[in-house]
Structure formats: C-alpha cells, structure tokens
C-alpha cells in the first residue's frame, strides 16, 4: 500500500549543520497528528551536514548536490518527489514552537480558496517578528534606496547628528484571527498541492531571494488567496543561514530583484529599480560631502562611510553580470 502524506516539508540546506539539526529536532518533537515526510536538499555543503542527517535523522530523505544549485532549483527537486496534500518550504534557521504545521493544515482544509499560508514568526527571544509583506511595485521599491538617505541628509543639515532611519518603525501587531495577506515570508511557506498543480514549480532563473514573492504573485494571478494563521507559531533566527556571506548575498538579492521586476513589470520596472539605486548613490554622495562640512562629523569618520555607501550603490545600479557563489559556478 502506497503511503500518502498530508505534508511534505522541504528544507534547503547550505552549510547550516547545527541549525539544521536543531530545526529537525523541533519539527519531529512538535509536529503531531498529521502524516508528514521531510526532504532535505543539500546544496553541496562542506560542513558534514549530510553525515549528520544520516546519523541522527535516518527517516529524512536527503538529496545531495555536488554543487550549489540555488534555492528554487533545490525546492523543485523536493516538489517533484512530493505527492502530499500540502507542501512546505521551511528554513533551517527556523523551528516550530507548537504544532504549527497541523494548525495551518486544519485552517487550509476549511478554506479551499487559500493556496498559500504562513505562521506568526518570533525571534528567539520570544518577541514577534514580521511574518508577511505587501507586494513590491517598481516606484515604491525604487524609493527604498533614496528616502532614508534624503531624510538623513535633512537631519544632518538641521544639525541632528544622532538621527537614524528605521525601515520598520511600527511594532508587529499579531492579529487575533487568521486573515488575508499579500505574501508570507519564505521562512515557513505552505502551499496547497492543488495550488502547485495550478501555478507550477518555482522559477529556477532566480538563485535565491524574491522566489517566494514571485510564487505568491503568480498564485495571486491564478486567483489563490494567501493567509496568515497566527495561532501557528515559528521561531526564526533571522539571517542566520546567510550572514556568513552577507556582502555577496546582498548582491545576489539585488540581481534577483532586477529579474523579478523585469519579469512582472517589464522594462519600466527594471529601469525604475536601477534608477532608485543610482539616485540613492548620489544621495549618499551628498551626505558624504555635507558631512565633510561639519568638523565634529569628520571626527566620527562619517564621510568615509557615506562615500563607501555611494560606491556600493553605484555598483548595484550598474550590475549586469550574474553573481553566484563560487561553488555554484
């Protein structure tokens, strides 16, 4: 008799041995009353991740690549092996805090129009974390690189040298009940099997980042709703799986955004994002020049920081060649 699963949990691993071990331990401890399988796709890790899996988690199915194929390509391999009713993308730096996956499945079973769901995320210290976002459009996304620097420049000119811009000033408010959202973060991203059949696999032209946004947008175009289930709780150590190569990952993130905006908004969207980086670079240059005019700021070496910011943003605005980690080439 062929075993059928309620849920396939797919985890893409890249040199996160200890995080992965902790993640899987939590999954098996917390997940109850559903029939599930776990597939780990290892992107050529060199930290004995595969050996750890074989020793401690023999029931986990492991797909081991000899090179880093990127996130969507790895996920698609797990999708190809799954015939479960639901499919979950789950980060190795995350842990379910309660029977989160069962809570999401129960909710989706009762709401057939929902194609994608996410839980409420928490930092390891227990404070709530941003769990979902609104879709990004070219004009608004382009302002991300400009607005903070313009506001900092205005503060500097009025003598407020302690000013700092914060993107997420608003506190995270946890809703009492599940609600419709635009897209849940890819930390814990559950997709209905029928939604996968309708929308298809993840876009392998993306190496990492923007992949879950792209998938949620495509699901939206097909009429599938995306919801948040706050009673499902997941701890997430934000950035833990990518912080070792933060500079390179930032460049890869930007090139993924360029692809996403060109794919969904055409040349105008692609140009808007590039112009945003270019305008941001000149705002950083103005900040550096303005800082030079203030002797007390020179002592803090602030001008040097702004000029480095100018250089980095200018490079991102003209980024054309594809950047990949060395083990992905």
């Amino acid at each position: 008799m062929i075993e059928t699963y309620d849920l396939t949990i797919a985890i893409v691993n890249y040199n996160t041995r200890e995080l992965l071990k902790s993640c899987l331990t939590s999954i098996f401890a917390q997940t109850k009353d559903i029939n599930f399988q776990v597939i780990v796709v290892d992107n050529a890790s060199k930290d004995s991740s595969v050996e750890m899996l074989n020793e401690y988690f023999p029931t986990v199915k492991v797909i081991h690549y000899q090179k880093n194929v990127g996130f969507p390509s790895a996920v698609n391999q797990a999708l190809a092996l799954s015939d479960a009713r639901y499919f979950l993308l789950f980060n190795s730096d995350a842990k379910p805090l309660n029977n989160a996956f069962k809570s999401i499945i129960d909710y989706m079973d009762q709401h057939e129009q929902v194609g994608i769901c996410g839980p409420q995320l928490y930092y390891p210290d227990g404070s709530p974390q941003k769990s979902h976002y609104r879709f990004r459009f070219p004009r608004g996304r382009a302002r991300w690189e400009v607005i903070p620097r313009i506001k900092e420049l205005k503060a500097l000119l009025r003598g407020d040298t302690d000013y700092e811009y914060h993107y997420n000033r608003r506190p995270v408010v946890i809703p009492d009940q599940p609600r419709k959202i635009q897209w849940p973060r890819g930390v814990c991203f559950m997709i209905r099997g029928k939604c996968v059949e309708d929308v298809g696999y993840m876009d392998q032209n993306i190496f990492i980042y923007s992949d879950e946004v792209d998938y949620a947008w495509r699901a939206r175009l097909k009429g599938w709703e995306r919801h948040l289930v706050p009673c499902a709780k997941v701890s997430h150590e934000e950035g833990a799986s990518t912080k070792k190569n933060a500079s390179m990952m930032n460049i890869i993130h930007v090139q993924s955004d360029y692809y996403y905006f060109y794919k969904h908004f055409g040349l105008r969207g692609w140009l808007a994002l590039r112009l945003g980086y270019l305008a941001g670079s000149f705002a950083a240059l103005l900040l550096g020049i303005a800082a030079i005019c203030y002797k007390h700021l020179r002592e803090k070496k602030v001008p040097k920081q702004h000029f480095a910011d100018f250089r980095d943003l200018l490079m991102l605005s003209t980024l054309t060649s594809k950047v990949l980690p060395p083990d992905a080439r």
Side-chain angles (χ1 to χ4, degrees), residues 36-56:
F36 70 96
Q37 64 171 337
V38 180
I39 301 175
V40 173
V41 186
D42 185 80
N43 268 338
S45 294
K46 297 177 176 61
D47 64 350
S48 303
S49 288
V50 174
E51 290 79 0
M52 180 276 293
L53 290 168
N54 292 335
E55 180 179 356
Y56 292 100

Side-chain angles (χ1 to χ4, degrees), residues 5-12 20 23-24 26-28 30-32 34-41 59-63 75 78-79 82-84 86-92 94 96 99-102 105 187-190:
Y5 294 101
D6 296 307
L7 177 66
T8 294
I9 303 169
I11 303 171
V12 178
L20 178 62
C23 168
L24 289 170
S26 296
I27 287 174
F28 285 107
Q30 296 289 348
T31 308
K32 307 178 188 305
I34 57 171
N35 193 15
F36 70 96
Q37 64 171 337
V38 180
I39 301 175
V40 173
V41 186
T59 62
V60 170
K61 183 172 183 60
V62 181
I63 303 171
V75 168
L79 269 170
S82 173
D83 59 359
Y86 295 97
F87 184 86
L88 178 69
L89 281 65
F90 200 68
N91 278 15
S92 62
N99 199 1
F101 307 150
K102 174 70 161 50
I105 287 175
V187 176
C188 180
F189 192 92
M190 191 176 292

Side-chain angles (χ1 to χ4, degrees), residues 210-264:
S210 299
D211 42 87
E212 77 274 27
V213 194
D214 172 76
Y215 201 89
W217 182 270
R218 288 158 56 199
R220 169 186 172 273
L221 295 178
K222 291 284 187 176
W224 291 101
E225 293 183 8
R226 293 81 51 213
H227 285 208
L228 175 75
V229 181
C231 66
K233 301 178 181 181
V234 169
S235 173
H236 177 223
E237 191 175 343
E238 196 165 31
S241 58
T242 57
K243 63 184 177 184
K244 291 180 182 179
N245 300 299
S247 179
M248 179 181 63
M249 298 311 291
N250 181 55
I251 295 173
I252 292 173
H253 196 164
V254 171
Q255 71 187 14
S256 296
D257 279 352
Y258 283 145
Y259 173 81
Y260 171 84
F261 280 100
Y262 184 80
K263 175 181 177 179
H264 294 294

Side-chain angles (χ1 to χ4, degrees), residues 25-193:
T25 300
S26 296
I27 287 174
F28 285 107
Q30 296 289 348
T31 308
K32 307 178 188 305
D33 304 320
I34 57 171
N35 193 15
F36 70 96
Q37 64 171 337
V38 180
I39 301 175
V40 173
V41 186
D42 185 80
N43 268 338
S45 294
K46 297 177 176 61
D47 64 350
S48 303
S49 288
V50 174
E51 290 79 0
M52 180 276 293
L53 290 168
N54 292 335
E55 180 179 356
Y56 292 100
F57 304 99
T59 62
V60 170
K61 183 172 183 60
V62 181
I63 303 171
H64 179 55
Y65 280 106
Q66 297 303 312
K67 74 171 188 175
N68 187 352
V69 299
F71 188 83
S73 295
V75 168
N76 286 345
Q77 289 301 310
L79 269 170
L81 295 175
S82 173
D83 59 359
R85 297 192 300 119
Y86 295 97
F87 184 86
L88 178 69
L89 281 65
F90 200 68
N91 278 15
S92 62
D93 58 0
K95 304 174 189 176
L97 295 175
N98 57 7
N99 199 1
F101 307 150
K102 174 70 161 50
S103 297
I104 297 175
I105 287 175
D106 286 347
Y107 178 78
M108 294 182 79
D109 280 346
Q110 297 168 19
H111 299 83
E112 294 184 358
Q113 77 279 16
V114 179
I116 299 171
C117 256
Q120 176 59 49
L121 301 177
Y122 293 85
Y123 289 102
D125 66 3
S127 58
Q129 189 177 118
K130 188 75 173 175
S131 304
H132 61 94
Y133 290 102
R134 300 181 66 82
F135 284 121
R136 301 171 293 179
F137 293 88
R139 183 179 296 179
R141 175 62 181 83
R143 291 174 180 164
W144 287 10
E145 318 307 328
V146 185
I147 298 298
R149 293 168 180 88
I150 293 297
K151 291 193 173 186
E152 187 176 350
L153 180 60
K154 288 180 178 178
L156 189 153
L157 293 175
R158 66 174 178 259
D160 185 1
T161 58
D162 295 323
Y163 173 83
E164 290 184 17
Y165 182 86
H166 298 281
Y167 281 98
N168 296 312
R169 288 173 181 261
R170 295 179 182 176
V172 175
V173 177
I174 302 174
D176 295 329
Q177 299 294 328
R179 69 181 185 87
K180 188 184 295 187
I181 58 174
Q182 298 200 2
W183 59 277
R185 294 178 62 182
V187 176
C188 180
F189 192 92
M190 191 176 292
I191 315 171
R192 185 185 298 274

